[in-house]
Amino acid sequence: MKPVVVLVSVDSNSVLKGAREYKNLLIDLVEEYNLSSVVDVLETGSFGVYLDGVLLEVLPDGIYYLVKSSSDVREIVEEHLLKGRRVFKLEVPPEKVRAGVVEKIEVPQETRVVLRNAGVIDPTNIKEYIARDGYAALAKALTEMKPVDVIEEMKKSGLRGRGGAGFPTGLKWEFTFKVDADQKYVLCNADEGEPGTFKDRLIMEGDPHSVLEGMAIAAYAVGANKGYIYIRGEYYESVRNIRKAIEDAYEYGLLGDNIMGTDFSFHVSVRLGAGAYICGEETALMESIEGKAGRPRLKPPYPPVSGLFGKPTVINNVETFANVAPIILNGADWFRSMGTESSPGTKVFTLVGNVVNRGLVEVPMGTTVRELIYVFGGGVEGGRKLKMVQTGGTAGTFIGTDKLDTPLDYDSFTKYGVSIGSGVILVIDERHCAVDIAKNVLGFFAHESCGKCSPCREGTRVALQTFDRLSKGLAKKEDIEYLWTLADVMQQASLCGLGQSVPVPMKSLLQNFADEMEAHLKKECPTGVCKFVKEKPRRPVLR
Amino acid sequence: MKTSADLDSSLYQRLDDYIESVKEKPGILINVLHKAQEIFGYLPDEVLEYVAEKLDVPVSKVFGVVTFYNFFSRKPKGKYQIKICLGTACYVKGGDKVFERFLEELEVEPEEPTKDGLFSVHPVRCLGACSMAPVVLVGEKDFYGRLTPNDVPSLIKKYREG
């Protein structure tokens, strides 16, 4: 890696203005002045702005020049590269260039921050990431900001954890910053296992450096020098692209010792998950990185005090880290201009189930369920009637059509009983039975409960068996009342977020589809999915 | 350390090389098990004992970790592992019916290899490809989406004929 990099923006516009010729001239001049060992000249894609000339960027200084002639190029080499003096008359203010960072892709009303590069750049080519302001935020943090400034900016931005719980990211960093320790860690939770969710996979596959840059900025802010990305073992492509990104970042001096010539060092390695949903829980994930079975720890102490290997640890989701660089680069006010007061910014949603267009969409916080399904999702497939939507993920709420106009953010659960979670919008049409869906959801949790605490271990199994009896017409009214009690117990007494959130889908199904539950007591399944039996059922097989 | 005749010693050599390259790192057990399963195809007890000895941890700990995670298997699997997603998003698109059809066509129980050792069928919870629901993953990389039970026979045929 050479300490200085000159990026030449080469796109269909700048080529007409002589970009290739200027690039070759740059290379020749660098040679002529014996700067080849310290200066790299690289060709990149478009900076996203169109000016009357060719844009160059000098890294790590982050200075943009607009050149219109060979003598301009010569002046930059002789003054800036050789003597270290900026050529003010050729400079372009960064705001002017960076205005092009957030592009509106041509999808109706989508706002791409997290997915700014996904599908736009070659994710295995670090140069393409750099050309789109990649690592400029890290450079800014390292050279212009103290760790407290970074934390202050993150707090001001109001960014909340995108893994589902919505804890303010800046606060988390501040807690970790304030603890004195010889070793701190930054972890990226990429153990995406929530049925219906695949946003983190696409971020890692499409823009792996955005995650690394976010992690490096977090490490600088809290005083950590070591980080891990814990990726689901099944995500082969993500693992491949993240590993390549780490390798390239090391080569370019953007990871490793003395990053960009500063005192800051940060090392990252990949750890693989092995198929356990519980490992998405932060303390279980740490146990797993330590090479143990991933069973959650009792909290407190929380990770900022005692996390990985008992050291202060920041742990954030992939999508959270992907938000960091744009915030540092464009400022908290810019970030707050999107989304809602309590939940600024955008959210990546996954549209799945019986919906016409299935896939990812990134929109401002506060977008309603109806807009997501009908504007972006194109409505229910086959012209069928919408019956219910599960929002947030398998641990999220089931809502009926009466709640479609709920704006989704981190407060919509407490305000309206509709959770945003990890951003799943699972559309379920009229052919499906609420009791049958309940069995599927509880079957999942009964299988994935780690077994450490009894409310969750036993609760998920008993709830599954009870819904199973209901689906066979063998349940009594008391069974439904019992499910409510069971949900309360699990919510209050479970050790970790898994057991505590199983009641969310349970209660929302019991409440929003009470009539359908009641009907099953009378051996009636309105959709005809459930087959009623006379004899006592066997225990359901757990898969 | 005894090694059975059907486990090639060159496989142990590959595992050794990997362990040597990472053994200084803390908490590396799970990565070693990933590698071991990649090399041997599954994790027979003698491999667990071998890993325990090499990393100087109790066999009970290795056993505890292997049985905790779904990814690790102590039984041989088919040459082609067919993973069928039964997560909610695939379930509402009929993933369960595709799963049943695979079991019928191959005449096997879940997780057991077929008599010819070619296939094994595994129910899984979310492969992170929900937009293609219902999803089936054969091996490590062959994803098949938007399947119906009727697509199952031709899919099996494709792999049987190699």
Side-chain angles (χ1 to χ4, degrees):
Chain A
M1 145 81 189
K2 298 175 187 174
V4 178
V5 178
V6 183
L7 294 176
V8 185
S9 166
V10 179
D11 58 31
S12 50
N13 185 60
S14 69
V15 164
L16 299 176
K17 315 256 183 217
R20 289 247 157 74
E21 290 75 17
Y22 294 153
K23 184 197 142 195
N24 291 335
L25 179 61
L26 264 172
I27 294 171
D28 291 344
L29 288 172
V30 163
E31 195 109 311
E32 191 181 316
Y33 287 103
N34 280 326
L35 292 167
S36 312
S37 60
V38 286
V39 179
D40 240 343
V41 179
L42 302 176
E43 194 174 295
T44 78
S46 171
F47 284 124
V49 285
Y50 297 103
L51 300 166
D52 184 27
V54 176
L55 263 175
L56 310 179
E57 185 182 6
V58 183
L59 291 171
D61 315 53
I63 292 166
Y64 295 99
Y65 291 115
L66 185 68
V67 294
K68 295 176 185 175
S69 67
S70 307
S71 59
D72 289 349
V73 176
R74 186 170 284 276
E75 195 166 354
I76 288 167
V77 175
E78 289 172 352
E79 288 297 306
H80 191 139
L81 300 184
L82 196 62
K83 301 173 190 159
R85 292 197 293 238
R86 286 158 69 172
V87 187
F88 290 102
K89 64 171 186 177
L90 298 176
E91 265 190 50
V92 180
E95 308 86 73
K96 206 168 171 182
V97 180
R98 286 174 191 162
V101 172
V102 182
E103 288 186 345
K104 292 248 176 174
I105 307 293
E106 284 169 358
V107 174
Q109 302 154 43
E110 225 187 338
T111 312
R112 292 194 161 207
V113 177
V114 170
L115 301 174
R116 59 193 180 276
N117 293 326
V120 181
I121 63 167
D122 172 1
T124 60
N125 187 344
I126 188 171
K127 293 177 195 170
E128 295 201 10
Y129 180 71
I130 291 172
R132 286 174 58 89
D133 277 332
Y135 292 103
L138 179 63
K140 181 179 174 184
L142 294 183
T143 56
E144 296 169 28
M145 299 168 88
K146 291 202 207 66
V148 282
D149 302 332
V150 175
I151 290 169
E152 209 41 53
E153 199 68 27
M154 292 306 292
K155 278 168 71 182
K156 257 174 64 191
S157 76
L159 175 66
R160 296 170 69 170
R162 299 297 195 242
F167 191 84
T169 305
L171 271 185
K172 206 182 246 188
W173 292 14
E174 188 175 44
F175 292 151
T176 314
F177 170 75
K178 284 185 171 164
V179 179
D180 270 327
D182 54 341
Q183 175 72 60
K184 294 180 188 178
Y185 293 103
V186 171
L187 301 187
C188 176
N189 186 344
D191 189 46
E192 185 175 61
E194 192 81 27
T197 316
F198 50 100
K199 64 182 179 71
D200 294 346
R201 177 169 70 84
L202 290 205
I203 294 168
M204 288 187 285
E205 285 176 14
D207 197 15
H209 286 285
S210 70
V211 183
L212 296 181
E213 187 176 6
M215 287 179 73
I217 293 169
Y220 173 69
V222 305
N225 63 10
K226 178 93 189 105
Y228 292 95
I229 306 184
Y230 186 90
I231 309 179
R232 266 188 84 170
E234 294 91 333
Y235 278 13
Y236 301 101
E237 284 294 305
S238 300
V239 172
R240 196 180 66 108
N241 283 3
I242 288 277
R243 282 198 167 135
K244 171 85 166 80
I246 291 175
E247 210 174 282
D248 291 346
Y250 268 99
E251 194 183 319
Y252 277 68
L254 300 165
L255 283 178
D257 290 328
N258 301 102
I259 293 171
M260 297 185 188
T262 65
D263 291 339
F264 173 65
S265 301
F266 183 54
H267 295 268
V268 180
S269 25
V270 171
R271 285 300 170 90
L272 299 182
Y277 172 76
I278 185 63
C279 287
E281 199 279 339
E282 55 187 19
T283 59
L285 187 151
M286 290 169 195
E287 290 282 302
S288 185
I289 292 182
E290 293 176 14
K292 303 178 219 162
R295 295 198 181 90
R297 302 170 182 169
L298 191 64
K299 288 189 273 191
Y302 293 95
V305 175
S306 174
L308 185 66
F309 299 113
K311 302 293 184 187
T313 303
V314 161
I315 175 163
N316 284 123
N317 171 263
V318 171
E319 189 184 347
T320 312
F321 279 127
N323 268 299
V324 171
I327 291 174
I328 294 301
L329 212 49
N330 305 303
D333 293 335
W334 163 80
F335 192 70
R336 293 202 80 99
S337 70
M338 297 172 289
T340 62
E341 181 57 33
S342 71
S343 312
T346 62
K347 179 80 193 83
V348 181
F349 288 94
T350 47
L351 297 170
V352 294
N354 307 125
V355 63
V356 175
N357 309 322
R358 286 181 267 164
L360 284 186
V361 57
E362 181 176 355
V363 291
M365 287 280 187
T367 302
T368 66
V369 182
R370 187 187 300 278
E371 286 171 311
L372 284 166
I373 296 175
Y374 290 96
V375 176
F376 297 99
V380 182
E381 62 180 356
R384 292 193 191 86
K385 230 175 101 191
L386 180 64
K387 174 168 182 170
M388 57 167 100
V389 184
Q390 188 179 28
T391 65
T394 294
T397 46
F398 283 93
I399 57 169
T401 48
D402 56 322
K403 288 188 173 169
L404 289 184
D405 291 309
T406 309
L408 284 171
D409 67 11
Y410 289 106
D411 292 329
S412 54
F413 180 65
T414 43
K415 274 196 208 153
Y416 311 103
V418 184
S419 55
I420 187 168
S422 56
V424 177
I425 300 293
L426 172 60
V427 177
I428 300 171
D429 69 28
E430 55 189 337
R431 295 170 301 170
H432 296 277
C433 163
V435 176
D436 188 58
I437 296 287
K439 270 167 60 183
N440 176 276
V441 169
L442 267 303
F444 173 78
F445 286 120
H447 183 265
E448 295 297 345
S449 173
C450 79
K452 182 166 178 170
C453 75
S454 33
C456 174
R457 183 185 62 238
E458 304 305 326
T460 49
R461 273 163 173 70
V462 173
L464 171 62
Q465 286 160 7
T466 311
F467 277 117
D468 189 57
R469 279 210 306 283
L470 192 58
S471 75
K472 295 190 165 91
L474 297 167
K476 300 192 190 75
K477 194 162 185 294
E478 299 82 74
D479 284 319
I480 292 185
E481 285 160 19
Y482 182 65
L483 282 170
W484 278 100
T485 313
L486 192 62
D488 280 335
V489 171
M490 290 173 70
Q491 200 157 26
Q492 289 167 26
S494 293
L495 179 68
C496 81
L498 194 157
Q500 289 161 12
S501 58
V502 177
V504 172
M506 266 176 82
K507 285 182 171 180
S508 59
L509 278 167
L510 290 171
Q511 182 160 357
N512 297 332
F513 301 91
D515 293 349
E516 206 169 337
M517 301 284 157
E518 297 274 332
H520 283 73
L521 293 176
K522 291 176 267 173
K523 298 198 183 222
E524 284 164 21
C525 178
T527 52
V529 170
C530 298
K531 304 280 175 263
F532 297 105
V533 294
K534 283 196 180 114
E535 71 275 26
K536 209 171 178 311
R538 290 186 327 190
R539 282 182 61 195
V541 181
L542 301 176
R543 279 173 186 148
Chain B
M1 176 63 54
K2 62 176 193 313
T3 56
S4 70
D6 54 339
L7 290 175
D8 194 339
S9 65
S10 73
L11 298 181
Y12 278 100
Q13 188 55 50
R14 277 176 63 197
L15 183 58
D16 268 354
D17 293 345
Y18 179 75
I19 291 175
E20 277 308 310
S21 72
V22 296
K23 71 192 274 187
E24 298 306 317
K25 296 184 183 173
I28 203 69
L29 175 60
I30 292 174
N31 281 31
V32 170
L33 291 172
H34 265 283
K35 195 71 183 180
Q37 182 158 303
E38 183 190 314
I39 293 169
F40 292 95
Y42 70 112
L43 297 170
D45 287 353
E46 62 174 72
V47 170
L48 302 190
E49 286 165 23
Y50 189 80
V51 167
E53 185 167 297
K54 280 277 168 185
L55 292 178
D56 198 20
V57 292
V59 182
S60 60
K61 186 186 169 184
V62 177
F63 183 83
V65 167
V66 166
T67 52
F68 183 84
Y69 295 98
N70 290 334
F71 186 80
F72 298 127
S73 172
R74 292 171 56 229
K75 287 186 283 189
K77 300 180 199 172
K79 181 181 172 199
Y80 299 109
Q81 291 156 38
I82 303 170
K83 293 177 179 163
I84 297 136
C85 181
L86 297 181
T88 332
C90 283
Y91 184 74
V92 303
K93 299 292 294 175
D96 54 328
K97 296 180 182 75
V98 173
F99 175 67
E100 295 300 336
R101 185 65 182 264
F102 267 109
L103 294 182
E104 271 169 39
E105 289 290 326
L106 293 169
E107 300 174 352
V108 282
E109 291 294 311
E111 319 271 357
E112 300 287 339
T114 48
K115 284 194 190 88
D116 56 7
L118 216 47
F119 300 100
S120 53
V121 181
H122 308 267
V124 295
R125 306 281 174 174
C126 199
L127 291 161
C130 317
S131 58
M132 291 157 59
V135 183
V136 169
L137 172 64
V138 183
E140 290 193 349
K141 282 174 191 145
D142 297 357
F143 275 96
Y144 298 91
R146 300 174 188 253
L147 289 179
T148 66
N150 291 336
D151 296 326
V152 170
S154 58
L155 192 61
I156 293 173
K157 196 166 166 232
K158 183 178 159 193
Y159 284 91
R160 188 162 272 154
E161 289 168 1

